[in-house]
Amino acid sequence: MSSTTTEQQELADERRSIERSGRLHGAHWSVLALSLVLTFFVWQYAERQAQDKRESRFQRYSSQVAGLIQERLHKYEDALWAGVAAKHSHSQAVDLATWRRFSSALHISDKYPGINGIGVIDYVPRQQLDDYLATHRRDRPAYKVHPQHTLPFLLPITFIMPEDKNAAAIGLDVAHEANRLRAALNARDSGKAQITGPIVLVQDANKTPGFLFYAPFYRQHSETLEERRANFAGMVYAPFVVAELMRGTLEQQQRDIFLRISDGDTVLYDEFPDNHEKQGLFAEYKLNIYGREWQIATASSPSFWRNTDDSQPKIILVCALVIDAMLLLLFISLSRAHRRSFNFAQRMLASSEKNAAALTQTIDKLEQSNHQLERFAFIASHDLREPLRSLGNYSELLKNDDGSMTDEQRGKAIGFIQAAATRMEELLTALLNYSRIDFSYQVETVDCTELLAELRDDLGRQLADGQAEVRVGAMPTIQVGRNEIRQLLQNLITNAIKFRANDRAAQVEIECTEKESTWLFSVCDNGIGIDSAHQNAIFDVFKRLHRHEDIPGSGIGLASCKKLSKLMGGEIWVESEVGKGSCFYFTVPKGEK
Ligand code: ADP
């Protein structure tokens, strides 16, 4: 491979690589992809953080709710123990009026919202029932204990305040029913406040779930189980409707969670909307409370989502995507700018290549024309020297005449001098005309039939002298320089007559044939013809095949024809046979040159 080819190959490679670097390629896409992946991870991370934050907030709220329930029940427990204290302060003998005073001092509805009432359940062994009834019928003659059962003891609700709201519960024996009884016995045995399992309070018209809260009291201080059983005297109790308890407990708070409380299979309280699963966060835990195990379930409420609406991850995502989009735009605009510069450089290169080509062409032309000029100068000087020499010779002869020359000889010498001068003038005029051919070429519409008719008129005398017959075929109207084609045709017709054969009248035929991209003109004669050896040379300046004395001429006619046809954008050539005639052909391109 030559060094130029290697260089060209390297240049082409370089050009391809520059062109490639102007497109969005692997590196750009990798940066973008990496940035998108980073965006995704940062967004996911922020999203997870937000979620963790939400979850811990939700857990906090959930345990807060449980705490509130416990706190509220502790407060109620305190009220129960206050009732126990009241009982003790009256040596167990609390009558209706005392209990009324006590409960009104408690301000239940103000201080204990959610509590349904506070009352006393007495432990009455069956054999003491009559005494018990007699005691309490003193204040309330209609007082009775119900319903009937067979246990050896009774646990009737002796008092409950406020009375009007809880009237249905007065005299109710809580030992009649297992759930109420079990909690009562647990309270008795443990000495601690206890609650029953779910029940429907007799005083609750809505029949919603509720429970009883017991605090036991004893006839005397009891440490052991046996002592507690032996001394058990009854319980201060409070009935609760769970819905009201919760309203009292949680109402003041703007809660962000839904709550459900169950005891075993019974739902005590339920705020969950039907579609709570879709709400998102959910928690469930157990709460051991006063001898019962409550299941607390919490779910996030719509207000939770409103209050914890964390738009930070979304903002991060949007910002990062905007940055990515800007990055993409930047890449695109950079690559466009690059491509524009590349195209510009290519155009510059192309135009400089074109300029270089034009320059080379001009140099070629100049070289050619220089060469022609040298040739022309050589031929011209050679041909002009001939008459100049004869001019010099005869003037020398006349100058050196010592009187020996006759008049006739002197007259001849002067005649030669005149002829040489005329010839020189002829040659110089012809040369001047030849050199002027290039000056201003102008294309116009030329009707060749009309043009030839004009020429015929102009050449009338020559045609008559040569007894020539000129036939013109169908001629087109073409786009060409009028003066140039006229001069060309005139030279060819003149030559056809001038070089006619002596033995026959000159016949000239002028035709024009349409070719694909040119008009082909021909001027044919039946003259002396041209030897094939000279058929190219006759188009050179001063090239003549005859002596001037035999057939006069300057030798510039065909050289002019060649220059004219070149100027018109075509070619000229001759086909000829000596003794038969010649055909000169020239072409004119169709359309504007
Ligand atoms: P000139 O006619 O002045 O001699 P040209 O340049 O016109 O010069 O022609 C050059 C030579 O070509 C002529 O001298 C002649 O020998 C030859 N020639 C030109 N036309 C014809 C023709 N129609 N038939 C024969 N010879 C021709």
Side-chain angles (χ1 to χ4, degrees), residues 554-567:
S554 63
I556 284 183
L558 285 181
S560 298
C561 288
K562 190 173 177 183
K563 205 169 172 186
L564 288 164
S565 79
K566 214 168 167 189
L567 195 62

Side-chain angles (χ1 to χ4, degrees), residues 31-71:
V31 170
L32 272 176
L34 195 69
S35 159
L36 279 171
V37 169
L38 275 176
T39 303
F40 177 75
F41 280 118
V42 169
W43 170 58
Q44 282 290 298
Y45 179 74
E47 195 68 83
R48 216 170 21 248
Q49 291 258 306
Q51 199 171 331
D52 288 352
K53 213 165 99 185
R54 271 198 299 272
E55 274 171 14
S56 70
R57 194 162 161 211
F58 175 74
Q59 291 300 342
R60 205 169 60 240
Y61 284 170
S62 298
S63 49
Q64 263 175 9
V65 166
L68 279 172
I69 295 168
Q70 273 177 314
E71 196 180 300

